[in-house]
Amino acid sequence: MAGVKFEQAMARLEAIVGELEKGDLPLDESLKIFEEGIRLSKNCLRVLEEAERKVEVLVHDKNGKKQLRAFTSDDIDVPGSAEDS
């Protein structure tokens, strides 16, 4: 599972969801691919968390100097948010 690329894992997860939504599989097969989906989703989450830790943003401090800091969800501009008003 460690060798699976993020994009491949996401594609397989989408396929699993499609198969489960159809409801045509026997219970044992549904459980088998559900468990595979759980493993894939945990792997994807781990990859995303690692990527998040690596992302940094360049900001200006109080003195106007540029410095790097970790990217946070507060850095995301959401249209229509209270800060846009």
Side-chain angles (χ1 to χ4, degrees):
M1 185 79 50
V4 177
K5 294 196 180 279
F6 179 81
E7 292 80 6
Q8 293 171 322
M10 287 299 297
R12 178 60 183 142
L13 271 172
E14 289 175 8
I16 289 171
V17 169
E19 291 176 47
L20 290 173
E21 285 179 339
K22 284 182 194 174
D24 295 338
L25 296 174
L27 180 59
D28 60 334
E29 184 64 22
S30 293
L31 287 172
K32 180 180 173 184
I33 67 169
F34 176 80
E35 290 171 353
E36 178 188 357
I38 294 297
R39 286 190 302 274
L40 287 168
S41 67
K42 286 181 179 180
N43 183 53
C44 287
L45 182 59
R46 187 172 40 257
V47 170
L48 288 172
E49 287 171 344
E50 288 173 13
E52 185 177 71
R53 284 191 295 273
K54 292 178 183 177
V55 175
E56 295 180 326
V57 292
L58 187 61
V59 295
H60 293 275
D61 65 14
K62 294 178 183 178
N63 299 322
K65 293 183 182 177
K66 294 178 183 175
Q67 65 181 40
L68 288 176
R69 69 168 170 77
F71 178 82
T72 67
S73 59
D74 294 336
D75 294 316
I76 301 171
D77 291 330
V78 179
S81 68
E83 293 177 4
D84 289 343
S85 315

